[in-house]
Amino acid sequence: MIIPEAETLLSVQNLTAEVDGTPILQGVNLEVKRGEIHAIMGPNGSGKSTFSKVLAGHPDYKVTGGSITFKGQNLLEWEPEIRAREGLFLAFQYPLEIPGVTNSEFLRISCNAVRKHRGLPELDLLDFNDFITEKLQVVAMNPAFLQRSVNEGFSGGEKKRNEIVQMAVMEPELAILDETDSGLDIDALKIVAAGVNQLSNERNATIVITHYQRLLNYIVPDFVHVMEEGRIVLTGGKELALELEARGYDWLTEEV
Amino acid sequence: MTAEVERLLHAIRTEATERLTQLHFPTVREEDWRYTDLTPIKEIPWQQLETAEVVEALPLPEADYQLVLQNGVWQRERSVICQDGLCVLGSVAGVIPQCSSVLFAHLGQYTDDRDYLTQLNSQACHDLALIYTSSKWEEHKTIGLHYLHTGHHCVSHPRCLIVLSPHTKLTVVEIYTGSAVEYWANPVTEIYVGEQAQLQHIVWQQQGRSAFHTKTTRVRQAKHSFYQIQTIDLGARLSRHNLHIQPQGEATTTIVQGLVSIAGEQLADTHSTILHSHPQGRSNQLHKCILRERSHGVFNGRICVTKAGQLTDASQLSRNLLLSPHARIDTKPQLEIVADNVKCSHGATVSQLDREELFYLQSRGIDQTTATTILTAAFAAEIINSIPLASLRELLRHV
Ligand SMILES: Nc1ncnc2c1ncn2[C@@H]1O[C@H](COP(=O)(O)OP(=O)(O)OP(=O)(O)O)[C@@H](O)[C@H]1O
Ligand SMILES: [Mg+2]
């Protein structure tokens, strides 16, 4: 929702970034205020995931110019774990499998690292049990998944749900969901979207990266951006997604 | 000690003394010792001493019986022995006739006559620990063998014989610990697993950081027997384990798991041989090294299948995690297969921590040091989780 006079959470200005010496982001501008939901669409390889990883602080991506301000502070000065504890969350397009680390242990360590940073008491095993039971319900995830290794052998859709469980645990202020909808069946899509909606409020914000207008029927964006060749080339309301669905991306290059 | 046991030990010592005149201290010029230089051991004037200082043993709450040996000398008052259908003896002085026939049948029968370190041990063999299950023993007990070490420039050559009668079961945990001084332990453990018997064997090496540790384990397996060994190497400045397993009947099962976790300038060397010379033997070996700082891991895994070893199913995997650019691993599988109808596989991997996995954890608010610890523990989990004793699994959560 757009709230008048809302505080700016994220401000990206003229951001350029490269990986292995190849420039990918070529001047991204984006402003996200508390309460808002933004969608980023755009063709394969246009730089959407790169943008999300730069925000999260992936060491392989080198910022070569521009600035990122998060809650009024220079995000680029923070290590990835500090960004996470400060409230920036990235749901990965391809969540990793971590054999040998149980999901419950992973979630508890993560939860307590975040809580400690925010001045909240850490949760012991019992308290965490209650806490996580509630969080699993956000995406109707079976508690049996807690005892398995992180994402190991999970189906594509189960991995995406697990990302949202992590989001629920970390209670971010800005969540970036990179193609969380791909790999989900129709019912799962509704459940995950409802979960994301349940987690959003007027204090936080969400950026959803997607290829499909369908998701935006459930997570209704305030803004839709189109990324092409490392830039946001067009911004509109939710109707823009419908237009893109109907016409594809080619007309943009002709008009812009 | 009965006169005949005394004569047996005397004969073993005399033969060893004789053989040692024909042998020499291993040098790096030999293929088997390429990476492990024993020169420092050779140069120190070692002494065999009993010390009054009491070294604490690692607690092993699961143990039904325990033997404590300090600098190779049995500590009667600290041990819990048994002389029933199961014999757990820290000394063979005063053994019952049944046990002395076990000594005659097995002691010194499976060792390598040309191995210098074994012969050094034999030369010093005035007594030994004996663990024996008689054929009427039906329970499954856990035995802890605590080898404690201390004393500057002290050497010890502890010897242990483990014999399982057919159809019996046992878990034996050897634990090697010691003080921070420069000492040398050169233990030899001989094992016979009878027909359809099952032995779970754990060797926990956590010697002091200045210690030298050279261990020999020689195993014979009768047909249809099960033998599992899990070696955990954490300590010592230099450690070497010579492990030799030889089935002497068909359809044996052998599981060998090694976990090495070292740092600083430590070196941990494992040389193993599994010799399949009978049909339908199955062996599965997994060796994992976690190497930090300037530590050095060595693994040489020989698997031999002779012509008689038809339908052998043998697999071996060496996996290594290098946590520092200065750490080093030398790993070499060595397959010598003559039989034609066998299934054998082997592989070796050397890796660093996965950057993407590290980033994934960091993106969940976990700092890099904690993330490294978590991912390292995950690498070791496969072995840790299969250790049958909870107290040891728990200790490993923190290494
Ligand atoms: N590590 C890398 N090395 C080389 N090129 C890379 C690397 N990471 C990304 N790229 C390139 O950067 C470009 C942008 O990739 P990115 O993953 O950001 O695209 P995307 O918009 O998320 O695409 P998709 O819709 O397919 O997920 C692509 O051309 C990709 O090949
Ligand atoms: Mg992408």
Side-chain angles (χ1 to χ4, degrees):
Chain A
M1 77 202 81
I2 300 175
I3 303 164
E5 312 281 313
E7 185 194 343
T8 298
L9 251 188
L10 178 77
S11 170
V12 179
Q13 271 164 19
N14 214 11
L15 181 71
T16 56
E18 60 178 39
V19 55
D20 291 334
T22 314
I24 313 274
L25 300 184
Q26 323 242 28
V28 178
N29 291 293
L30 181 68
E31 184 110 350
V32 179
K33 294 196 168 75
R34 290 191 192 270
E36 294 174 351
I37 294 178
H38 292 242
I40 300 180
M41 305 182 81
N44 293 132
S46 57
K48 304 180 298 296
S49 293
T50 301
F51 179 50
S52 70
K53 289 200 174 157
V54 168
L55 289 174
H58 194 295
D60 287 354
Y61 298 85
K62 195 173 153 220
V63 173
T64 49
S67 67
I68 308 176
T69 312
F70 181 61
K71 299 196 296 185
Q73 289 183 276
N74 182 1
L75 184 79
L76 294 173
E77 279 181 358
W78 290 336
E79 291 294 315
E81 62 268 27
I82 304 297
R83 300 182 191 198
R85 295 173 194 170
E86 282 287 333
L88 186 138
F89 177 83
L90 169 63
F92 283 52
Q93 180 173 2
Y94 304 108
L96 275 85
E97 299 191 3
I98 317 224
V101 180
T102 62
N103 219 6
S104 62
E105 187 190 2
F106 177 57
L107 289 166
R108 194 169 56 85
I109 294 170
S110 161
C111 169
N112 281 334
V114 166
R115 288 178 69 93
K116 194 173 169 197
H117 186 82
R118 296 179 188 166
L120 297 168
E122 294 182 42
L123 300 180
D124 63 19
L125 277 173
L126 276 176
D127 288 340
F128 180 74
N129 251 330
D130 297 342
F131 175 83
I132 193 67
T133 307
E134 194 181 302
K135 299 299 182 188
L136 288 174
Q137 285 162 8
V138 170
V139 285
M141 185 115 160
N142 186 332
F145 283 99
L146 290 176
Q147 303 319 318
R148 290 172 57 178
S149 285
V150 179
N151 292 332
E152 192 186 28
F154 285 28
S155 76
E158 289 161 356
K159 285 181 184 168
K160 296 303 179 75
R161 271 194 210 209
N162 204 24
E163 293 289 287
I164 304 304
V165 172
Q166 293 171 30
M167 172 179 163
V169 164
M170 298 178 68
E171 300 173 348
E173 291 176 77
L174 177 65
I176 305 150
L177 311 182
D178 191 358
E179 295 198 29
T180 299
D181 54 333
S182 49
L184 293 178
D185 67 43
I186 298 157
D187 294 332
L189 179 74
K190 285 184 195 163
I191 292 168
V192 166
V196 172
N197 287 332
Q198 185 191 331
L199 296 173
S200 34
N201 56 44
E202 70 282 0
R203 295 287 306 151
N204 60 28
T206 309
I207 299 175
V208 292
I209 297 172
T210 183
H211 285 295
Y212 305 105
Q213 195 277 329
R214 197 183 57 204
L215 173 72
L216 306 179
N217 289 333
Y218 303 107
I219 302 176
V220 182
D222 303 301
F223 301 94
V224 174
H225 310 276
V226 180
M227 183 170 271
E228 272 209 336
E229 291 175 8
R231 268 188 209 97
I232 288 179
V233 295
L234 187 65
T235 296
K238 62 173 190 265
E239 5 25 90
L240 178 57
L242 287 166
E243 191 168 0
L244 291 169
E245 179 102 332
R247 298 175 66 187
Y249 293 110
D250 285 349
W251 60 279
L252 279 171
T253 14
E254 287 143 31
E255 284 180 24
V256 177
Chain B
M1 194 169 297
T2 63
E4 57 170 357
V5 170
E6 182 59 64
R7 274 198 302 278
L8 173 67
L9 297 184
H10 185 263
I12 284 177
R13 291 195 301 270
T14 319
E15 272 178 53
T17 308
E18 181 62 31
R19 285 187 193 121
L20 282 168
T21 61
Q22 317 288 323
L23 299 169
H24 63 267
F25 216 94
T27 72
V28 288
R29 287 188 299 279
E30 288 153 65
E31 185 58 30
D32 270 354
W33 292 92
R34 249 175 89 184
Y35 303 109
T36 303
D37 187 359
L38 296 185
T39 311
I41 299 188
K42 199 179 166 189
E43 285 173 354
I44 290 168
W46 298 102
Q47 46 177 345
Q48 289 190 41
L49 269 188
E50 276 187 58
T51 58
E53 177 191 347
V54 175
V55 181
E56 279 306 308
L58 204 76
L60 190 68
E62 292 93 341
D64 299 294
Y65 303 101
Q66 326 219 35
L67 297 178
V68 175
L69 294 97
Q70 185 160 314
N71 286 6
V73 180
W74 179 41
Q75 312 289 299
R76 183 189 300 264
E77 65 292 350
R78 299 174 70 185
S79 302
V80 182
I81 65 165
C82 176
Q83 270 200 78
D84 207 0
L86 168 69
C87 286
V88 181
L89 303 172
S91 162
V92 294
V95 293
I96 50 175
Q98 187 197 11
C99 283
S100 75
S101 65
V102 170
L103 288 177
F104 276 91
H106 299 284
L107 188 65
Q109 299 299 307
Y110 316 125
T111 46
D112 181 351
D113 294 347
R114 288 151 304 149
D115 182 61
Y116 189 86
L117 295 168
T118 308
Q119 296 310 318
L120 265 188
N121 178 288
S122 292
Q123 189 185 29
C125 184
H126 290 274
D127 203 348
L128 65 138
L130 174 64
I131 296 167
Y132 166 66
T133 56
S134 73
S135 53
K136 51 183 195 297
W137 182 253
E138 285 176 357
E139 294 173 62
H140 184 166
K141 295 288 186 191
T142 297
I143 297 163
L145 291 171
H146 297 271
Y147 294 92
L148 315 176
H149 306 84
T150 188
H152 184 61
H153 287 183
C154 278
V155 61
S156 56
H157 300 280
R159 183 90 166 214
C160 178
L161 174 65
I162 302 169
V163 176
L164 268 70
S165 285
H167 301 276
T168 59
K169 291 185 183 126
L170 203 60
T171 297
V172 176
V173 186
E174 296 181 60
I175 301 178
Y176 294 87
T177 52
S179 68
V181 299
E182 197 168 57
Y183 61 84
W184 176 24
N186 182 43
V188 171
T189 304
E190 294 164 277
I191 296 173
Y192 181 83
V193 190
E195 232 177 279
Q196 297 205 29
Q198 298 182 18
L199 178 62
Q200 296 259 11
H201 186 199
I202 297 165
V203 181
W204 183 283
Q205 187 273 107
Q206 197 169 11
Q207 299 279 31
R209 281 290 195 96
S210 306
F212 298 97
H213 178 85
T214 52
K215 181 176 201 284
T216 304
T217 307
R218 307 280 301 189
V219 183
R220 285 292 166 94
Q221 282 187 258
K223 67 179 179 185
H224 297 282
S225 65
F226 172 92
Y227 175 70
Q228 168 165 313
I229 181 169
Q230 291 163 317
T231 59
I232 311 296
D233 283 283
L234 310 171
R237 156 183 170 190
L238 178 157
S239 70
R240 163 77 171 232
H241 188 201
N242 287 326
L243 171 64
H244 184 98
I245 302 170
Q246 185 174 346
Q248 55 180 38
E250 81 242 25
T252 51
T253 303
T254 309
I255 297 173
V256 180
Q257 297 186 331
L259 178 64
V260 172
S261 177
I262 52 175
E265 306 269 335
Q266 286 180 286
L267 177 142
D269 176 351
T270 303
H271 268 62
S272 67
T273 301
I274 303 173
L275 179 56
H276 286 288
S277 53
H278 292 271
Q280 292 167 25
R282 290 151 51 93
S283 67
N284 186 307
Q285 181 170 28
L286 175 63
H287 192 79
K288 287 193 169 188
C289 293
I290 300 165
L291 305 170
R292 302 177 182 81
E293 297 163 11
R294 298 184 167 273
S295 62
H296 184 179
V298 180
F299 174 68
N300 189 100
R302 248 177 99 208
I303 292 179
C304 309
V305 186
T306 68
K307 195 149 186 141
Q310 297 297 348
L311 299 172
T312 291
D313 182 346
S315 65
Q316 180 191 76
L317 183 59
S318 153
R319 292 195 58 201
N320 305 283
L321 180 61
L322 269 53
L323 292 177
S324 140
H326 307 294
R328 171 171 168 192
I329 176 72
D330 289 288
T331 176
K332 183 171 150 200
Q334 211 179 320
L335 268 65
E336 295 158 16
I337 297 166
V338 182
D340 44 23
N341 192 3
V342 299
K343 209 167 102 189
C344 289
S345 66
H346 68 93
T349 65
V350 179
S351 60
Q352 277 127 27
L353 279 187
D354 188 284
R355 283 167 69 81
E356 295 297 326
E357 289 181 5
L358 262 180
F359 174 65
Y360 192 53
L361 267 62
Q362 284 182 278
S363 78
R364 290 339 181 212
I366 301 168
D367 65 86
Q368 229 185 77
T369 313
T370 309
T372 302
T373 310
I374 292 173
L375 293 175
T376 306
F379 174 80
E382 195 180 348
I383 290 181
I384 296 175
N385 292 339
S386 63
I387 293 177
L389 304 187
S391 67
L392 297 181
R393 286 198 300 271
E394 195 47 43
L395 282 175
L396 282 171
R397 305 259 173 253
H398 311 289
V399 295

